[in-house]
Amino acid sequence: MSPAFIHQLIKTRHTNISDPLTKAEVPAETCQVGHEPLPPTLGHFFRREVYHLPGFFAYAKHIIKIDGKAGLFKGLAPRLCAGTIGTVVHSKIVQKCHKQGTLEVSVF
């Protein structure tokens, strides 16, 4: 097997494992535009009452409640396709640059 193929297999496995985690983090981003699917809860911080936004596991439970466990994996196929295409294109460019001897590493 080629190194690019093995690299893609590793990235695919990582994507499969981390995709549900990404889904539970997304609601935190939607909060910035004013949409919060879960209400804040009242808690204590240094003996003061404050409101806390729900955490990672609360969002994961909310997604499972609405869409089932499959809801955590929505969008996985397009993400895998995009990752595969990106890896293939990157490896082809690196191979071509190695052949031409123009591979340069630059730091902005």
Side-chain angles (χ1 to χ4, degrees), residues 63-98:
I63 292 170
I64 291 171
K65 180 181 168 187
I66 296 205
D67 293 332
K69 289 184 181 179
L72 292 174
F73 293 95
K74 281 186 178 178
L76 179 61
R79 187 170 174 203
L80 289 175
C81 289
T84 302
I85 292 169
T87 300
V88 169
V89 169
H90 178 265
S91 66
K92 295 292 181 185
I93 290 172
V94 168
Q95 287 174 0
K96 191 160 189 132
C97 289
H98 274 299

Side-chain angles (χ1 to χ4, degrees), residues 94-105:
V94 168
Q95 287 174 0
K96 191 160 189 132
C97 289
H98 274 299
K99 284 181 185 177
Q100 293 177 351
T102 59
L103 183 62
E104 295 180 13
V105 178

